[in-house]
Amino acid sequence: MIATALLQEGHGAPAHGAEGEGLDLGGTLMHHIVDAHEIEGPLGAVWHLPEWEPLHLGPLAVNLSPTKHVVFLLLAAVICGLLFTLVGRTARRRKVHEAPSGFANAIEALVLYFRDEVVRKNIGEGADRYTSYILTLFFFILTMNLLGLVPWGASATGNISVTAVLAIVTFLVVEVSGFRALGPAGYARTIFFVPAGIPGWMKPVMLLVMIPVEVVSKLTKPFALAVRLFANMTAGHTLIFSLLGLIFIFAQLTFARWAVAGASVTATTLMMVLELFVAFLQAYIFAMLSAVFIGLIRHAH
């Protein structure tokens, strides 16, 4: 699919040799990675998404037109909803002492693992109320990551806007959880922090130093979540396109074209396997760090 796109959409600065002429690898790569108002399909089909008039809110113009990443984000949400609806119905039909089997068993094992090893161990007392949120993060991000690995798919997590919103939601959950667990006075100490045993005349100095540090530490957590997920998913897709592009760049080398093609396809296959692992890993890291941040602020002492 990627090779076909490179052939169909190559344009711009010509590569060396007649067979690579007209291929703009960088332009084609960016076209397939960045967001767009169209979705590519099989046999060169292109579906153009509707573009609506911007919604004007005072001086702001908000464009609510659907894009490729929005479509695949919604598709991931639908897949997750259908998946857990079916798994839930299977669990309800199962007898009390009957062990789960098949796909439902795998999902239940993942749920129990996250509840016991990720949520409870990182959040502590009262952790179970956050299990559903952490599981939602993991499966939703994982589904978006995997949709970028299927033919003609796109990974919405390769869009910094998507990962930023996920990180902001986690930031709000973390801060609200801390406020509820610590109370107004305890939460204030997570910002206006003075170490114990400091002399009275040093407290204003420590406040001047620690307040910016504490505020920045709160903001760097969601920033790190958003950038880590976005960068890893974008880098993987960029590398896969670049490796396949070598076939077309070196197409004019008659004596070496098959060697380059074989090496490129082999490297791309290995990268796809690695990307499958990264899709699971990045979803797990995002969910785990969210649980860690909730646990840290709930036990700020």
Side-chain angles (χ1 to χ4, degrees):
M1 183 271 293
I2 298 176
T4 303
L6 287 169
L7 282 172
Q8 291 176 342
E9 301 188 16
H11 56 80
H16 298 292
E19 297 185 28
E21 188 173 355
L23 172 65
D24 179 10
L25 180 60
T28 303
L29 185 151
M30 292 303 296
H31 173 74
H32 285 273
I33 290 178
V34 300
D35 204 1
H37 287 282
E38 57 187 28
I39 300 176
E40 293 84 7
L43 302 177
V46 177
W47 296 291
H48 295 277
L49 299 171
E51 297 189 40
W52 303 327
E53 288 293 327
L55 178 64
H56 294 279
L57 300 174
L60 299 177
V62 181
N63 190 349
L64 299 178
S65 302
T67 63
K68 176 173 63 177
H69 287 163
V70 171
V71 170
F72 280 92
L73 183 149
L74 295 175
L75 178 60
V78 171
I79 291 173
C80 287
L82 292 175
L83 172 67
F84 282 96
T85 298
L86 294 175
V87 171
R89 288 181 177 177
T90 302
R92 284 196 298 268
R93 288 197 298 265
R94 195 172 65 239
K95 297 178 181 179
V96 177
H97 299 292
E98 182 181 355
S101 60
F103 185 71
N105 185 30
I107 295 297
E108 185 168 326
L110 274 174
V111 170
L112 292 176
Y113 172 80
F114 269 88
R115 186 195 67 183
D116 297 336
E117 301 297 326
V118 176
V119 180
R120 288 182 176 177
K121 285 191 175 181
N122 287 297
I123 298 179
E125 184 180 354
D128 287 357
R129 73 182 68 175
Y130 298 99
T131 301
S132 58
Y133 175 69
I134 301 301
L135 284 169
T136 300
L137 279 179
F138 173 75
F139 284 103
F140 184 47
I141 293 173
L142 175 62
T143 306
M144 288 191 288
N145 291 348
L146 294 178
L147 284 176
L149 300 178
V150 300
W152 305 288
S155 179
T157 45
N159 188 322
I160 189 63
S161 299
V162 174
T163 60
V165 170
L166 290 171
I168 290 171
V169 172
T170 293
F171 172 76
L172 294 176
V173 171
V174 169
E175 298 305 313
V176 171
S177 300
F179 189 87
R180 294 181 62 183
L182 302 174
Y187 180 80
R189 283 195 290 272
T190 66
I191 301 175
F192 305 97
F193 177 72
V194 178
I198 295 294
W201 63 273
M202 278 291 295
K203 290 182 178 180
V205 178
M206 290 301 300
L207 284 173
L208 288 175
V209 174
M210 295 304 298
I211 289 175
V213 171
E214 294 296 334
V215 171
V216 169
S217 70
K218 286 181 178 292
L219 298 179
T220 53
K221 291 182 178 72
F223 178 80
L225 286 175
V227 172
R228 179 187 291 107
L229 180 57
F230 161 73
N232 277 279
M233 300 313 299
T234 302
H237 287 75
T238 302
L239 185 56
I240 289 171
F241 270 98
S242 300
L243 289 172
L244 276 180
L246 295 175
I247 297 174
F248 303 93
I249 291 175
F250 292 96
Q252 74 279 4
L253 300 178
T254 306
F255 64 92
R257 68 174 66 181
W258 293 111
V260 171
S264 176
V265 171
T266 301
T268 302
T269 303
L270 294 175
M271 274 301 304
M272 289 293 289
V273 175
L274 180 60
E275 273 292 282
L276 182 62
F277 170 73
V278 170
F280 281 86
L281 179 64
Q282 291 304 316
Y284 173 78
I285 289 176
F286 198 105
M288 183 195 67
L289 288 179
S290 297
V292 169
F293 295 155
I294 293 172
L296 286 174
I297 198 168
R298 283 172 55 85
H299 305 284
H301 58 282

